[in-house]
Amino acid sequence: MAMVVFGAAGGLGLALTEKLHATYPEQQIIAISRKPVSKRLAGVNYVTVGDYSDATLAEWASDFKKSGGQLDGVISTVGMLHDDSTFPEKQLTDINPEDLEKLFHVNAITPLLILKHCQTLFDKKQAAFFVQLSAKVGSIEDNYLGGWYSYRASKAALNMLLKTASIELKRSHKQLIVAAIHPGTTDTGLSKPFQKRVPKDKLYSAEQSAERILSVIRELEPAQSGSLFHWDGTRLPY
Ligand SMILES: NC(=O)c1ccc[n+]([C@@H]2O[C@H](COP(=O)([O-])OP(=O)(O)OC[C@H]3O[C@@H](n4cnc5c(N)ncnc54)[C@H](OP(=O)(O)O)[C@@H]3O)[C@@H](O)[C@H]2O)c1
């Protein structure tokens, strides 16, 4: 049995891989990323993929299955807020369709493809989890500030896609938990340009957030599958 981290080269991906390896030393940990992970740990199986496309994920899952592999946990950290050419929108006049599509692709479509291919690798009768990092700003009910159109909407879409998949998978995989977790504002490349406005005690280290995410995962029950959780374990509204 194995646990997999997708997005293993990112700030939270690196910290979660490290924390999983330290917490479950007997467990096979697979760390998947598009670029090679700089800080490698002995005992972790690092896999570099060209992209997270449907075809690439299908090929990885098929090879893993052929080698007799089975999963009991998946954490996907895949997500983006900005890159060299894309920055969160402040107002309607900042909207452009390319950025909207890009964020929907990375934040909503890609995680669903990861789940699509990983679900074939879970034992239908055994306890397992599929956790995707989401964001509180993707909560429609909790949106008081506005702005960040693409990020908010793509995370809201992600939450809906995971909820929908959880309903389907409850029928075939009674012990599988599908959950979205908000990690809190964490000191990684994703939050870097926005950290000035964050109070010091509200900006968490990747190690701290990884520890909290694993604590939430440890407490999850199959009946809670399909929910969005805050890093403190409470349920967030959609
Ligand atoms: N940091 C925060 O304050 C914060 C707050 C709320 C929610 N989150 C969520 O937590 C997750 C992890 O964030 P992080 O802080 O660790 O950010 P990060 O360091 O930027 O890592 C993001 C990960 O997403 C993948 N990714 C980024 N752009 C991509 C693209 N264009 N195509 C495919 N994959 C892409 C990367 O995978 P590779 O490893 O393959 O490069 C990377 O590991 C994200 O889903 C984010 O939305 C973070």
PDB file of all heavy atoms in Angstrom, residues 6-13 32-35 52 77-80 83 106-107 110 132-136 151 155 182-191, ligand 1:
ATOM      1  N   PHE A   6       0.655  14.532  -4.864  1.00  0.00           N
ATOM      2  CA  PHE A   6       0.743  15.197  -6.173  1.00  0.00           C
ATOM      3  C   PHE A   6       1.058  16.676  -5.934  1.00  0.00           C
ATOM      4  O   PHE A   6       0.482  17.291  -5.029  1.00  0.00           O
ATOM      5  CB  PHE A   6      -0.580  15.094  -6.947  1.00  0.00           C
ATOM      6  CG  PHE A   6      -0.830  13.742  -7.541  1.00  0.00           C
ATOM      7  CD1 PHE A   6      -1.496  12.759  -6.834  1.00  0.00           C
ATOM      8  CD2 PHE A   6      -0.376  13.438  -8.827  1.00  0.00           C
ATOM      9  CE1 PHE A   6      -1.729  11.500  -7.380  1.00  0.00           C
ATOM     10  CE2 PHE A   6      -0.605  12.190  -9.386  1.00  0.00           C
ATOM     11  CZ  PHE A   6      -1.288  11.221  -8.658  1.00  0.00           C
ATOM     12  N   GLY A   7       1.943  17.228  -6.758  1.00  0.00           N
ATOM     13  CA  GLY A   7       2.364  18.622  -6.549  1.00  0.00           C
ATOM     14  C   GLY A   7       3.499  18.674  -5.534  1.00  0.00           C
ATOM     15  O   GLY A   7       3.625  19.610  -4.762  1.00  0.00           O
ATOM     16  N   ALA A   8       4.336  17.631  -5.585  1.00  0.00           N
ATOM     17  CA  ALA A   8       5.348  17.421  -4.538  1.00  0.00           C
ATOM     18  C   ALA A   8       6.488  18.433  -4.570  1.00  0.00           C
ATOM     19  O   ALA A   8       7.251  18.525  -3.611  1.00  0.00           O
ATOM     20  CB  ALA A   8       5.901  16.004  -4.642  1.00  0.00           C
ATOM     21  N   ALA A   9       6.607  19.213  -5.671  1.00  0.00           N
ATOM     22  CA  ALA A   9       7.716  20.184  -5.740  1.00  0.00           C
ATOM     23  C   ALA A   9       7.325  21.538  -5.144  1.00  0.00           C
ATOM     24  O   ALA A   9       8.178  22.402  -4.969  1.00  0.00           O
ATOM     25  CB  ALA A   9       8.166  20.365  -7.188  1.00  0.00           C
ATOM     26  N   GLY A  10       6.052  21.726  -4.807  1.00  0.00           N
ATOM     27  CA  GLY A  10       5.592  23.006  -4.252  1.00  0.00           C
ATOM     28  C   GLY A  10       5.871  23.099  -2.760  1.00  0.00           C
ATOM     29  O   GLY A  10       6.324  22.131  -2.127  1.00  0.00           O
ATOM     30  N   GLY A  11       5.575  24.271  -2.189  1.00  0.00           N
ATOM     31  CA  GLY A  11       5.868  24.498  -0.773  1.00  0.00           C
ATOM     32  C   GLY A  11       5.168  23.510   0.143  1.00  0.00           C
ATOM     33  O   GLY A  11       5.800  22.858   0.986  1.00  0.00           O
ATOM     34  N   LEU A  12       3.856  23.354  -0.018  1.00  0.00           N
ATOM     35  CA  LEU A  12       3.120  22.424   0.849  1.00  0.00           C
ATOM     36  C   LEU A  12       3.363  20.978   0.432  1.00  0.00           C
ATOM     37  O   LEU A  12       3.357  20.076   1.274  1.00  0.00           O
ATOM     38  CB  LEU A  12       1.620  22.771   0.848  1.00  0.00           C
ATOM     39  CG  LEU A  12       1.291  23.916   1.798  1.00  0.00           C
ATOM     40  CD1 LEU A  12      -0.055  24.556   1.480  1.00  0.00           C
ATOM     41  CD2 LEU A  12       1.291  23.420   3.245  1.00  0.00           C
ATOM     42  N   GLY A  13       3.599  20.754  -0.852  1.00  0.00           N
ATOM     43  CA  GLY A  13       3.895  19.400  -1.331  1.00  0.00           C
ATOM     44  C   GLY A  13       5.169  18.845  -0.695  1.00  0.00           C
ATOM     45  O   GLY A  13       5.210  17.699  -0.228  1.00  0.00           O
ATOM     46  N   ILE A  32       4.936  12.925  -6.460  1.00  0.00           N
ATOM     47  CA  ILE A  32       4.838  13.163  -7.902  1.00  0.00           C
ATOM     48  C   ILE A  32       4.872  14.669  -8.187  1.00  0.00           C
ATOM     49  O   ILE A  32       4.160  15.447  -7.552  1.00  0.00           O
ATOM     50  CB  ILE A  32       3.536  12.545  -8.465  1.00  0.00           C
ATOM     51  CG1 ILE A  32       3.541  11.033  -8.188  1.00  0.00           C
ATOM     52  CG2 ILE A  32       3.384  12.828  -9.960  1.00  0.00           C
ATOM     53  CD1 ILE A  32       2.359  10.283  -8.735  1.00  0.00           C
ATOM     54  N   SER A  33       5.707  15.042  -9.141  1.00  0.00           N
ATOM     55  CA  SER A  33       5.786  16.463  -9.515  1.00  0.00           C
ATOM     56  C   SER A  33       6.183  16.591 -10.975  1.00  0.00           C
ATOM     57  O   SER A  33       6.660  15.631 -11.588  1.00  0.00           O
ATOM     58  CB  SER A  33       6.800  17.187  -8.635  1.00  0.00           C
ATOM     59  OG  SER A  33       8.061  16.589  -8.776  1.00  0.00           O
ATOM     60  N   ARG A  34       5.990  17.807 -11.502  1.00  0.00           N
ATOM     61  CA  ARG A  34       6.361  18.038 -12.907  1.00  0.00           C
ATOM     62  C   ARG A  34       7.831  18.356 -13.041  1.00  0.00           C
ATOM     63  O   ARG A  34       8.463  18.024 -14.014  1.00  0.00           O
ATOM     64  CB  ARG A  34       5.518  19.174 -13.495  1.00  0.00           C
ATOM     65  CG  ARG A  34       4.031  18.857 -13.580  1.00  0.00           C
ATOM     66  CD  ARG A  34       3.251  20.116 -13.750  1.00  0.00           C
ATOM     67  NE  ARG A  34       3.629  21.074 -12.731  1.00  0.00           N
ATOM     68  CZ  ARG A  34       3.569  22.390 -12.865  1.00  0.00           C
ATOM     69  NH1 ARG A  34       3.141  22.907 -13.969  1.00  0.00           N
ATOM     70  NH2 ARG A  34       3.939  23.186 -11.872  1.00  0.00           N
ATOM     71  N   LYS A  35       8.375  19.077 -12.063  1.00  0.00           N
ATOM     72  CA  LYS A  35       9.828  19.294 -12.117  1.00  0.00           C
ATOM     73  C   LYS A  35      10.468  18.500 -10.979  1.00  0.00           C
ATOM     74  O   LYS A  35       9.806  18.248  -9.959  1.00  0.00           O
ATOM     75  CB  LYS A  35      10.186  20.777 -12.047  1.00  0.00           C
ATOM     76  CG  LYS A  35       9.379  21.569 -11.060  1.00  0.00           C
ATOM     77  CD  LYS A  35       9.726  23.021 -11.138  1.00  0.00           C
ATOM     78  CE  LYS A  35       9.101  23.777 -10.031  1.00  0.00           C
ATOM     79  NZ  LYS A  35       7.957  24.474 -10.062  1.00  0.00           N
ATOM     80  N   TYR A  52       0.169  17.073 -15.832  1.00  0.00           N
ATOM     81  CA  TYR A  52      -0.911  16.347 -15.154  1.00  0.00           C
ATOM     82  C   TYR A  52      -2.099  16.184 -16.102  1.00  0.00           C
ATOM     83  O   TYR A  52      -3.258  16.351 -15.708  1.00  0.00           O
ATOM     84  CB  TYR A  52      -1.348  17.092 -13.888  1.00  0.00           C
ATOM     85  CG  TYR A  52      -0.269  17.223 -12.829  1.00  0.00           C
ATOM     86  CD1 TYR A  52       0.090  18.467 -12.302  1.00  0.00           C
ATOM     87  CD2 TYR A  52       0.387  16.102 -12.336  1.00  0.00           C
ATOM     88  CE1 TYR A  52       1.068  18.592 -11.319  1.00  0.00           C
ATOM     89  CE2 TYR A  52       1.374  16.212 -11.355  1.00  0.00           C
ATOM     90  CZ  TYR A  52       1.708  17.461 -10.855  1.00  0.00           C
ATOM     91  OH  TYR A  52       2.678  17.571  -9.878  1.00  0.00           O
ATOM     92  N   THR A  77      -1.794  18.679  -3.828  1.00  0.00           N
ATOM     93  CA  THR A  77      -1.630  20.104  -3.477  1.00  0.00           C
ATOM     94  C   THR A  77      -1.756  20.965  -4.724  1.00  0.00           C
ATOM     95  O   THR A  77      -1.592  22.178  -4.656  1.00  0.00           O
ATOM     96  CB  THR A  77      -0.241  20.369  -2.856  1.00  0.00           C
ATOM     97  OG1 THR A  77       0.736  20.278  -3.894  1.00  0.00           O
ATOM     98  CG2 THR A  77       0.093  19.397  -1.759  1.00  0.00           C
ATOM     99  N   VAL A  78      -2.018  20.331  -5.862  1.00  0.00           N
ATOM    100  CA  VAL A  78      -1.992  21.061  -7.139  1.00  0.00           C
ATOM    101  C   VAL A  78      -2.951  22.246  -7.110  1.00  0.00           C
ATOM    102  O   VAL A  78      -4.126  22.117  -6.757  1.00  0.00           O
ATOM    103  CB  VAL A  78      -2.332  20.104  -8.308  1.00  0.00           C
ATOM    104  CG1 VAL A  78      -2.544  20.885  -9.610  1.00  0.00           C
ATOM    105  CG2 VAL A  78      -1.219  19.069  -8.478  1.00  0.00           C
ATOM    106  N   GLY A  79      -2.436  23.391  -7.469  1.00  0.00           N
ATOM    107  CA  GLY A  79      -3.248  24.599  -7.484  1.00  0.00           C
ATOM    108  C   GLY A  79      -2.387  25.801  -7.806  1.00  0.00           C
ATOM    109  O   GLY A  79      -1.169  25.755  -7.630  1.00  0.00           O
ATOM    110  N   MET A  80      -3.015  26.853  -8.321  1.00  0.00           N
ATOM    111  CA  MET A  80      -2.249  28.080  -8.581  1.00  0.00           C
ATOM    112  C   MET A  80      -3.091  29.328  -8.317  1.00  0.00           C
ATOM    113  O   MET A  80      -4.321  29.301  -8.421  1.00  0.00           O
ATOM    114  CB  MET A  80      -1.687  28.113 -10.005  1.00  0.00           C
ATOM    115  CG  MET A  80      -2.711  28.347 -11.082  1.00  0.00           C
ATOM    116  SD  MET A  80      -1.946  28.763 -12.681  1.00  0.00           S
ATOM    117  CE  MET A  80      -1.515  30.485 -12.435  1.00  0.00           C
ATOM    118  N   ASP A  83       1.050  33.346 -11.740  1.00  0.00           N
ATOM    119  CA  ASP A  83       2.323  32.950 -12.344  1.00  0.00           C
ATOM    120  C   ASP A  83       2.906  34.172 -13.036  1.00  0.00           C
ATOM    121  O   ASP A  83       2.439  35.295 -12.791  1.00  0.00           O
ATOM    122  CB  ASP A  83       2.165  31.730 -13.284  1.00  0.00           C
ATOM    123  CG  ASP A  83       1.297  32.014 -14.495  1.00  0.00           C
ATOM    124  OD1 ASP A  83       1.036  33.199 -14.791  1.00  0.00           O
ATOM    125  OD2 ASP A  83       0.864  31.044 -15.154  1.00  0.00           O
ATOM    126  N   VAL A 106      -6.098  24.397 -13.844  1.00  0.00           N
ATOM    127  CA  VAL A 106      -5.166  23.935 -12.805  1.00  0.00           C
ATOM    128  C   VAL A 106      -5.900  23.603 -11.501  1.00  0.00           C
ATOM    129  O   VAL A 106      -5.618  22.585 -10.864  1.00  0.00           O
ATOM    130  CB  VAL A 106      -4.065  24.998 -12.534  1.00  0.00           C
ATOM    131  CG1 VAL A 106      -3.140  24.540 -11.415  1.00  0.00           C
ATOM    132  CG2 VAL A 106      -3.276  25.288 -13.802  1.00  0.00           C
ATOM    133  N   ASN A 107      -6.848  24.458 -11.101  1.00  0.00           N
ATOM    134  CA  ASN A 107      -7.449  24.331  -9.760  1.00  0.00           C
ATOM    135  C   ASN A 107      -8.644  23.388  -9.679  1.00  0.00           C
ATOM    136  O   ASN A 107      -8.938  22.873  -8.599  1.00  0.00           O
ATOM    137  CB  ASN A 107      -7.893  25.714  -9.256  1.00  0.00           C
ATOM    138  CG  ASN A 107      -6.709  26.601  -8.939  1.00  0.00           C
ATOM    139  OD1 ASN A 107      -5.605  26.102  -8.727  1.00  0.00           O
ATOM    140  ND2 ASN A 107      -6.914  27.896  -8.926  1.00  0.00           N
ATOM    141  N   THR A 110      -7.727  19.692 -13.204  1.00  0.00           N
ATOM    142  CA  THR A 110      -6.605  18.789 -12.912  1.00  0.00           C
ATOM    143  C   THR A 110      -6.842  17.937 -11.658  1.00  0.00           C
ATOM    144  O   THR A 110      -6.663  16.710 -11.710  1.00  0.00           O
ATOM    145  CB  THR A 110      -5.284  19.591 -12.827  1.00  0.00           C
ATOM    146  OG1 THR A 110      -5.076  20.220 -14.091  1.00  0.00           O
ATOM    147  CG2 THR A 110      -4.103  18.707 -12.488  1.00  0.00           C
ATOM    148  N   GLN A 132      -7.685  16.890  -1.426  1.00  0.00           N
ATOM    149  CA  GLN A 132      -7.193  17.939  -2.322  1.00  0.00           C
ATOM    150  C   GLN A 132      -7.152  19.244  -1.531  1.00  0.00           C
ATOM    151  O   GLN A 132      -8.134  19.604  -0.872  1.00  0.00           O
ATOM    152  CB  GLN A 132      -8.123  18.086  -3.535  1.00  0.00           C
ATOM    153  CG  GLN A 132      -7.895  19.328  -4.371  1.00  0.00           C
ATOM    154  CD  GLN A 132      -6.539  19.356  -5.085  1.00  0.00           C
ATOM    155  OE1 GLN A 132      -6.152  18.379  -5.733  1.00  0.00           O
ATOM    156  NE2 GLN A 132      -5.819  20.463  -4.977  1.00  0.00           N
ATOM    157  N   LEU A 133      -6.035  19.955  -1.588  1.00  0.00           N
ATOM    158  CA  LEU A 133      -5.989  21.259  -0.927  1.00  0.00           C
ATOM    159  C   LEU A 133      -6.849  22.240  -1.724  1.00  0.00           C
ATOM    160  O   LEU A 133      -6.716  22.361  -2.935  1.00  0.00           O
ATOM    161  CB  LEU A 133      -4.558  21.761  -0.786  1.00  0.00           C
ATOM    162  CG  LEU A 133      -3.640  20.872   0.050  1.00  0.00           C
ATOM    163  CD1 LEU A 133      -2.319  21.580   0.313  1.00  0.00           C
ATOM    164  CD2 LEU A 133      -4.284  20.456   1.369  1.00  0.00           C
ATOM    165  N   SER A 134      -7.754  22.894  -1.012  1.00  0.00           N
ATOM    166  CA  SER A 134      -8.631  23.880  -1.634  1.00  0.00           C
ATOM    167  C   SER A 134      -8.347  25.220  -0.954  1.00  0.00           C
ATOM    168  O   SER A 134      -7.210  25.451  -0.503  1.00  0.00           O
ATOM    169  CB  SER A 134     -10.089  23.444  -1.486  1.00  0.00           C
ATOM    170  OG  SER A 134     -10.932  24.306  -2.206  1.00  0.00           O
ATOM    171  N   ALA A 135      -9.330  26.088  -0.850  1.00  0.00           N
ATOM    172  CA  ALA A 135      -9.105  27.372  -0.197  1.00  0.00           C
ATOM    173  C   ALA A 135     -10.437  27.908   0.316  1.00  0.00           C
ATOM    174  O   ALA A 135     -11.475  27.742  -0.338  1.00  0.00           O
ATOM    175  CB  ALA A 135      -8.495  28.373  -1.170  1.00  0.00           C
ATOM    176  N   LYS A 136     -10.361  28.556   1.476  1.00  0.00           N
ATOM    177  CA  LYS A 136     -11.561  29.135   2.087  1.00  0.00           C
ATOM    178  C   LYS A 136     -12.177  30.178   1.161  1.00  0.00           C
ATOM    179  O   LYS A 136     -13.398  30.354   1.151  1.00  0.00           O
ATOM    180  CB  LYS A 136     -11.149  29.771   3.419  1.00  0.00           C
ATOM    181  CG  LYS A 136     -12.260  30.151   4.323  1.00  0.00           C
ATOM    182  CD  LYS A 136     -11.694  30.459   5.702  1.00  0.00           C
ATOM    183  CE  LYS A 136     -12.708  31.137   6.566  1.00  0.00           C
ATOM    184  NZ  LYS A 136     -12.265  32.396   7.106  1.00  0.00           N
ATOM    185  N   TYR A 151      -9.517  32.660  -9.056  1.00  0.00           N
ATOM    186  CA  TYR A 151      -9.095  31.751  -7.987  1.00  0.00           C
ATOM    187  C   TYR A 151     -10.307  31.302  -7.179  1.00  0.00           C
ATOM    188  O   TYR A 151     -10.512  30.111  -6.952  1.00  0.00           O
ATOM    189  CB  TYR A 151      -8.066  32.447  -7.102  1.00  0.00           C
ATOM    190  CG  TYR A 151      -7.403  31.534  -6.081  1.00  0.00           C
ATOM    191  CD1 TYR A 151      -6.536  30.514  -6.479  1.00  0.00           C
ATOM    192  CD2 TYR A 151      -7.625  31.702  -4.716  1.00  0.00           C
ATOM    193  CE1 TYR A 151      -5.912  29.689  -5.540  1.00  0.00           C
ATOM    194  CE2 TYR A 151      -7.001  30.883  -3.771  1.00  0.00           C
ATOM    195  CZ  TYR A 151      -6.145  29.889  -4.187  1.00  0.00           C
ATOM    196  OH  TYR A 151      -5.538  29.066  -3.265  1.00  0.00           O
ATOM    197  N   LYS A 155     -11.798  27.439  -7.283  1.00  0.00           N
ATOM    198  CA  LYS A 155     -11.804  26.627  -6.056  1.00  0.00           C
ATOM    199  C   LYS A 155     -13.252  26.230  -5.700  1.00  0.00           C
ATOM    200  O   LYS A 155     -13.486  25.138  -5.187  1.00  0.00           O
ATOM    201  CB  LYS A 155     -11.140  27.377  -4.898  1.00  0.00           C
ATOM    202  CG  LYS A 155      -9.612  27.520  -5.046  1.00  0.00           C
ATOM    203  CD  LYS A 155      -8.878  26.191  -4.904  1.00  0.00           C
ATOM    204  CE  LYS A 155      -7.373  26.377  -4.787  1.00  0.00           C
ATOM    205  NZ  LYS A 155      -6.620  25.120  -4.696  1.00  0.00           N
ATOM    206  N   HIS A 182      -8.640  23.406   3.531  1.00  0.00           N
ATOM    207  CA  HIS A 182      -8.050  24.758   3.440  1.00  0.00           C
ATOM    208  C   HIS A 182      -6.844  24.791   4.383  1.00  0.00           C
ATOM    209  O   HIS A 182      -7.014  24.622   5.603  1.00  0.00           O
ATOM    210  CB  HIS A 182      -9.098  25.797   3.855  1.00  0.00           C
ATOM    211  CG  HIS A 182      -8.502  27.131   4.147  1.00  0.00           C
ATOM    212  ND1 HIS A 182      -7.904  27.911   3.186  1.00  0.00           N
ATOM    213  CD2 HIS A 182      -8.386  27.834   5.317  1.00  0.00           C
ATOM    214  CE1 HIS A 182      -7.462  29.027   3.737  1.00  0.00           C
ATOM    215  NE2 HIS A 182      -7.742  28.999   5.025  1.00  0.00           N
ATOM    216  N   PRO A 183      -5.638  25.000   3.840  1.00  0.00           N
ATOM    217  CA  PRO A 183      -4.454  24.903   4.712  1.00  0.00           C
ATOM    218  C   PRO A 183      -4.176  26.132   5.558  1.00  0.00           C
ATOM    219  O   PRO A 183      -3.323  26.088   6.443  1.00  0.00           O
ATOM    220  CB  PRO A 183      -3.313  24.712   3.702  1.00  0.00           C
ATOM    221  CG  PRO A 183      -3.781  25.354   2.439  1.00  0.00           C
ATOM    222  CD  PRO A 183      -5.285  25.233   2.430  1.00  0.00           C
ATOM    223  N   GLY A 184      -4.870  27.263   5.300  1.00  0.00           N
ATOM    224  CA  GLY A 184      -4.514  28.520   5.973  1.00  0.00           C
ATOM    225  C   GLY A 184      -3.406  29.188   5.175  1.00  0.00           C
ATOM    226  O   GLY A 184      -2.744  28.561   4.349  1.00  0.00           O
ATOM    227  N   THR A 185      -3.218  30.489   5.428  1.00  0.00           N
ATOM    228  CA  THR A 185      -2.198  31.221   4.652  1.00  0.00           C
ATOM    229  C   THR A 185      -0.813  30.726   5.062  1.00  0.00           C
ATOM    230  O   THR A 185      -0.410  30.855   6.216  1.00  0.00           O
ATOM    231  CB  THR A 185      -2.344  32.740   4.865  1.00  0.00           C
ATOM    232  OG1 THR A 185      -3.717  33.084   4.605  1.00  0.00           O
ATOM    233  CG2 THR A 185      -1.448  33.505   3.909  1.00  0.00           C
ATOM    234  N   THR A 186      -0.154  30.138   4.109  1.00  0.00           N
ATOM    235  CA  THR A 186       1.105  29.429   4.373  1.00  0.00           C
ATOM    236  C   THR A 186       2.226  30.069   3.565  1.00  0.00           C
ATOM    237  O   THR A 186       2.025  30.462   2.411  1.00  0.00           O
ATOM    238  CB  THR A 186       0.936  27.940   3.986  1.00  0.00           C
ATOM    239  OG1 THR A 186      -0.232  27.432   4.646  1.00  0.00           O
ATOM    240  CG2 THR A 186       2.144  27.122   4.396  1.00  0.00           C
ATOM    241  N   ASP A 187       3.387  30.149   4.185  1.00  0.00           N
ATOM    242  CA  ASP A 187       4.534  30.815   3.563  1.00  0.00           C
ATOM    243  C   ASP A 187       5.133  29.956   2.439  1.00  0.00           C
ATOM    244  O   ASP A 187       6.033  29.157   2.662  1.00  0.00           O
ATOM    245  CB  ASP A 187       5.578  31.083   4.661  1.00  0.00           C
ATOM    246  CG  ASP A 187       6.749  31.878   4.126  1.00  0.00           C
ATOM    247  OD1 ASP A 187       6.665  32.380   2.977  1.00  0.00           O
ATOM    248  OD2 ASP A 187       7.751  31.995   4.860  1.00  0.00           O
ATOM    249  N   THR A 188       4.568  30.117   1.246  1.00  0.00           N
ATOM    250  CA  THR A 188       5.060  29.400   0.055  1.00  0.00           C
ATOM    251  C   THR A 188       5.086  30.400  -1.105  1.00  0.00           C
ATOM    252  O   THR A 188       4.620  31.536  -0.966  1.00  0.00           O
ATOM    253  CB  THR A 188       4.105  28.252  -0.333  1.00  0.00           C
ATOM    254  OG1 THR A 188       2.860  28.842  -0.745  1.00  0.00           O
ATOM    255  CG2 THR A 188       3.861  27.274   0.796  1.00  0.00           C
ATOM    256  N   GLY A 189       5.558  29.936  -2.250  1.00  0.00           N
ATOM    257  CA  GLY A 189       5.587  30.800  -3.432  1.00  0.00           C
ATOM    258  C   GLY A 189       4.206  31.323  -3.789  1.00  0.00           C
ATOM    259  O   GLY A 189       4.064  32.452  -4.263  1.00  0.00           O
ATOM    260  N   LEU A 190       3.180  30.536  -3.530  1.00  0.00           N
ATOM    261  CA  LEU A 190       1.811  30.938  -3.888  1.00  0.00           C
ATOM    262  C   LEU A 190       1.355  32.185  -3.129  1.00  0.00           C
ATOM    263  O   LEU A 190       0.698  33.063  -3.689  1.00  0.00           O
ATOM    264  CB  LEU A 190       0.865  29.763  -3.635  1.00  0.00           C
ATOM    265  CG  LEU A 190      -0.609  29.952  -4.006  1.00  0.00           C
ATOM    266  CD1 LEU A 190      -1.169  28.679  -4.655  1.00  0.00           C
ATOM    267  CD2 LEU A 190      -1.444  30.315  -2.800  1.00  0.00           C
ATOM    268  N   SER A 191       1.720  32.279  -1.857  1.00  0.00           N
ATOM    269  CA  SER A 191       1.225  33.412  -1.044  1.00  0.00           C
ATOM    270  C   SER A 191       2.215  34.576  -1.010  1.00  0.00           C
ATOM    271  O   SER A 191       1.867  35.659  -0.536  1.00  0.00           O
ATOM    272  CB  SER A 191       0.933  32.951   0.386  1.00  0.00           C
ATOM    273  OG  SER A 191       2.142  32.617   1.036  1.00  0.00           O
TER     274      SER A 191
HETATM  275  N1  LIG B   1      -0.037  28.846   0.468  1.00  0.00           N
HETATM  276  C1  LIG B   1      -1.216  29.314   0.870  1.00  0.00           C
HETATM  277  O1  LIG B   1      -1.305  30.338   1.581  1.00  0.00           O
HETATM  278  C2  LIG B   1      -2.493  28.616   0.476  1.00  0.00           C
HETATM  279  C3  LIG B   1      -3.705  29.073   1.033  1.00  0.00           C
HETATM  280  C4  LIG B   1      -4.903  28.435   0.679  1.00  0.00           C
HETATM  281  C5  LIG B   1      -4.873  27.369  -0.186  1.00  0.00           C
HETATM  282  N2  LIG B   1      -3.677  26.944  -0.713  1.00  0.00           N
HETATM  283  C6  LIG B   1      -3.693  25.806  -1.646  1.00  0.00           C
HETATM  284  O2  LIG B   1      -2.719  24.856  -1.256  1.00  0.00           O
HETATM  285  C7  LIG B   1      -2.201  24.189  -2.419  1.00  0.00           C
HETATM  286  C8  LIG B   1      -0.677  24.163  -2.386  1.00  0.00           C
HETATM  287  O3  LIG B   1      -0.197  25.474  -2.460  1.00  0.00           O
HETATM  288  P1  LIG B   1       1.321  25.908  -2.134  1.00  0.00           P
HETATM  289  O4  LIG B   1       1.193  27.031  -1.185  1.00  0.00           O
HETATM  290  O5  LIG B   1       2.151  24.732  -1.796  1.00  0.00           O
HETATM  291  O6  LIG B   1       1.733  26.533  -3.539  1.00  0.00           O
HETATM  292  P2  LIG B   1       2.941  26.187  -4.504  1.00  0.00           P
HETATM  293  O7  LIG B   1       4.203  26.109  -3.751  1.00  0.00           O
HETATM  294  O8  LIG B   1       2.843  27.179  -5.614  1.00  0.00           O
HETATM  295  O9  LIG B   1       2.568  24.719  -5.037  1.00  0.00           O
HETATM  296  C9  LIG B   1       1.480  24.524  -5.914  1.00  0.00           C
HETATM  297  C10 LIG B   1       1.558  23.172  -6.588  1.00  0.00           C
HETATM  298  O10 LIG B   1       0.610  23.159  -7.644  1.00  0.00           O
HETATM  299  C11 LIG B   1       1.171  22.671  -8.841  1.00  0.00           C
HETATM  300  N3  LIG B   1       0.986  23.663  -9.916  1.00  0.00           N
HETATM  301  C12 LIG B   1       1.184  25.002  -9.849  1.00  0.00           C
HETATM  302  N4  LIG B   1       0.950  25.558 -11.070  1.00  0.00           N
HETATM  303  C13 LIG B   1       0.602  24.545 -11.889  1.00  0.00           C
HETATM  304  C14 LIG B   1       0.239  24.472 -13.273  1.00  0.00           C
HETATM  305  N5  LIG B   1       0.214  25.553 -14.043  1.00  0.00           N
HETATM  306  N6  LIG B   1      -0.067  23.257 -13.786  1.00  0.00           N
HETATM  307  C15 LIG B   1      -0.052  22.156 -12.992  1.00  0.00           C
HETATM  308  N7  LIG B   1       0.300  22.162 -11.706  1.00  0.00           N
HETATM  309  C16 LIG B   1       0.614  23.334 -11.159  1.00  0.00           C
HETATM  310  C17 LIG B   1       2.673  22.502  -8.623  1.00  0.00           C
HETATM  311  O11 LIG B   1       2.972  21.125  -8.876  1.00  0.00           O
HETATM  312  P3  LIG B   1       4.478  20.560  -9.201  1.00  0.00           P
HETATM  313  O12 LIG B   1       4.974  20.075  -7.894  1.00  0.00           O
HETATM  314  O13 LIG B   1       4.225  19.482 -10.157  1.00  0.00           O
HETATM  315  O14 LIG B   1       5.256  21.726  -9.743  1.00  0.00           O
HETATM  316  C18 LIG B   1       2.923  22.893  -7.185  1.00  0.00           C
HETATM  317  O15 LIG B   1       3.508  21.885  -6.460  1.00  0.00           O
HETATM  318  C19 LIG B   1      -2.813  24.911  -3.627  1.00  0.00           C
HETATM  319  O16 LIG B   1      -3.884  24.138  -4.128  1.00  0.00           O
HETATM  320  C20 LIG B   1      -3.312  26.220  -3.048  1.00  0.00           C
HETATM  321  O17 LIG B   1      -4.419  26.737  -3.778  1.00  0.00           O
HETATM  322  C21 LIG B   1      -2.497  27.530  -0.387  1.00  0.00           C
END
